[in-house]
Amino acid sequence: MSKKSTLSMPELRTAFEAHGYISDKELLTTVYLALKLEKPLLVEGAPGVGKTEIAKVLSKVFDTELIRLQCYEGLDENKALYEWNYQRQLIKIQMLRDTACQNLSEDDVFSLDYLLERPLLKAIRAENRPVLLIDEIDKTDEEFEAFLFEILSDFQISIPELGTVSAKHIPIVVLTSNHDRELSEGLRRRCVYLYIDYPTIDKEINIIRAKIPEVTEKLALQIATAVNHLRNSLTLSKQPSIAETLDWTRALIAMHADHLDSTMVKQTMGLLFKNRDDLTAFQKDMGADGLCAAVKQATGMTNTAYHCHNDDASCGG
């Protein structure tokens, strides 16, 4: 383990903040324990709450490679672990035949030179301790999940032609799940578990300001309050994520907005809602006027501090 892998809790907090990841004590403690115990970290939560970002930040904190295995239905061992480079093997065989070689053996074509490393093998054979991100593990089937058990427990794999390959350094492993399906007890038992919920208004303000320093304090407050209200007041097929909050903030800044108003909200809802049903639900149940009024009430601002667009008097109350 490298020296930097032994960060204390305060050092880890400082490092996360330095890379713009706003976290609370529970999250940091869980990440710290996973690092300390050298166990995989299983992170669950809704899409866009910052699960994948943990792996990215860890790779920056420890200044190491991020190796990503993006999971999907039908993912198999070959695509996750390794494949033989059959084309190179055939060329090698042909070359040996052309030179009339009489001693062709398996070793001539089944060596590391002919192995195409996929993410899992690459993490096992890495010279420096990498961060291995197994993203959206819940999209794979149960058989693939079971296949991971040996790797996550012993950090070694078996290649029939080459034997057992053990990790040079135990990778920092982060698995994410959107909870599309229930994961097995076997997988959970091998991991330290973390659940990330949508942030509070205060936390989301800090995230916005950390990621987009040019945003004003007032606009950050209004945006975080608005998004929080949308999540808690509407029944949506997809709640606005932190990533969408940040996109919305950047869009508003690009439009030179220094506060929310009804017209601006109407023009930018495509940054928050990504399907027609959710947009229709917003327009029917709340609308831009309702959202602006809710933000005004929640932030307790006066009409002077929180003024709406001149052509939309209903927003100003």
Side-chain angles (χ1 to χ4, degrees):
M1 185 184 300
S2 68
K3 183 179 179 181
K4 289 186 74 176
S5 298
T6 61
L7 291 179
S8 65
M9 275 278 291
E11 289 172 332
L12 190 63
R13 175 186 295 278
T14 301
F16 266 52
E17 289 177 353
H19 291 287
Y21 194 96
I22 305 301
S23 57
D24 52 32
K25 188 175 181 180
E26 180 184 352
L27 186 151
L28 272 174
T29 302
T30 307
V31 173
Y32 172 78
L33 291 175
L35 293 171
K36 194 74 175 176
L37 300 176
E38 296 189 330
K39 290 177 72 72
L41 176 67
L42 172 60
V43 191
E44 284 193 321
V49 294
K51 304 185 299 296
T52 301
E53 193 67 17
I54 289 179
K56 295 179 179 177
V57 171
L58 284 172
S59 72
K60 295 175 182 173
V61 168
F62 295 113
D63 190 23
T64 191
E65 184 180 11
L66 173 66
I67 300 172
R68 181 172 187 162
L69 174 62
Q70 181 63 53
C71 298
Y72 54 88
E73 187 177 355
L75 178 64
D76 59 26
E77 297 179 22
N78 288 340
K79 294 182 176 65
L81 200 54
Y82 70 89
E83 290 180 278
W84 288 107
N85 190 333
Y86 295 119
Q87 188 174 12
R88 284 198 63 193
Q89 287 175 319
L90 289 173
I91 292 173
K92 177 68 175 181
I93 292 170
Q94 188 60 50
M95 289 173 62
L96 291 173
R97 285 176 176 168
D98 291 345
T99 57
C101 177
Q102 302 297 317
N103 299 315
L104 179 64
S105 68
E106 276 195 356
D107 294 341
D108 291 317
V109 289
F110 285 104
S111 66
L112 292 175
D113 292 338
Y114 299 93
L115 208 57
L116 296 175
E117 290 183 346
R118 301 311 183 199
L120 296 180
L121 181 59
K122 189 175 181 182
I124 292 289
R125 297 190 65 239
E127 292 295 332
N128 299 309
R129 189 186 190 196
V131 173
L132 172 61
L133 168 62
I134 304 176
D135 211 10
E136 300 184 342
I137 181 63
D138 52 321
K139 285 189 167 48
T140 63
D141 54 36
E142 294 178 0
E143 287 74 15
F144 183 82
E145 193 180 308
F147 154 74
L148 289 177
F149 288 175
E150 179 186 7
I151 295 174
L152 297 181
S153 296
D154 303 326
F155 296 98
Q156 67 179 28
I157 60 172
S158 300
I159 301 177
E161 297 85 354
L162 300 178
T164 300
V165 179
S166 300
K168 297 179 179 178
H169 309 277
I170 295 178
I172 298 170
V173 183
V174 178
L175 302 98
T176 72
S177 167
N178 295 330
H179 210 266
D180 283 352
R181 70 169 175 83
E182 188 62 40
L183 301 177
S184 70
E185 290 300 321
L187 182 70
R188 293 181 181 278
R189 191 169 58 250
R190 288 165 170 81
C191 301
V192 176
Y193 180 74
L194 173 67
Y195 180 80
I196 302 180
D197 205 348
Y198 288 112
T200 61
I201 293 176
D202 287 343
K203 185 177 178 181
E204 197 148 20
I205 290 172
N206 290 332
I207 293 171
I208 293 170
R209 302 195 70 186
K211 296 289 187 183
I212 309 172
E214 64 269 30
V215 69
T216 64
E217 184 176 351
K218 181 175 76 174
L219 185 58
L221 169 64
Q222 292 178 355
I223 289 172
T225 304
V227 176
N228 180 271
H229 186 70
L230 291 173
R231 290 176 186 143
N232 292 321
S233 302
L234 296 177
T235 301
L236 301 171
S237 60
K238 183 187 180 308
Q239 302 272 20
S241 68
I242 295 173
E244 282 147 359
T245 299
L246 296 175
D247 285 345
W248 192 34
T249 304
R250 294 188 182 99
L252 291 169
I253 291 175
M255 297 175 72
H256 308 292
D258 62 357
H259 68 280
L260 288 184
D261 64 55
S262 183
T263 300
M264 194 69 73
V265 169
K266 289 176 182 174
Q267 293 174 346
T268 56
M269 279 296 93
L271 277 300
L272 293 178
F273 299 114
K274 301 303 175 68
N275 66 65
R276 185 179 180 182
D277 289 345
D278 287 348
L279 188 58
T280 300
F282 167 70
Q283 292 167 338
K284 179 182 178 183
D285 297 339
M286 183 183 301
D289 295 347
L291 181 60
C292 285
V295 172
K296 175 187 172 185
Q297 182 178 13
T299 55
M301 290 185 170
T302 65
N303 286 348
T304 301
Y306 182 79
H307 54 90
C308 282
H309 198 273
N310 290 336
D311 64 4
D312 198 340
S314 63
C315 182

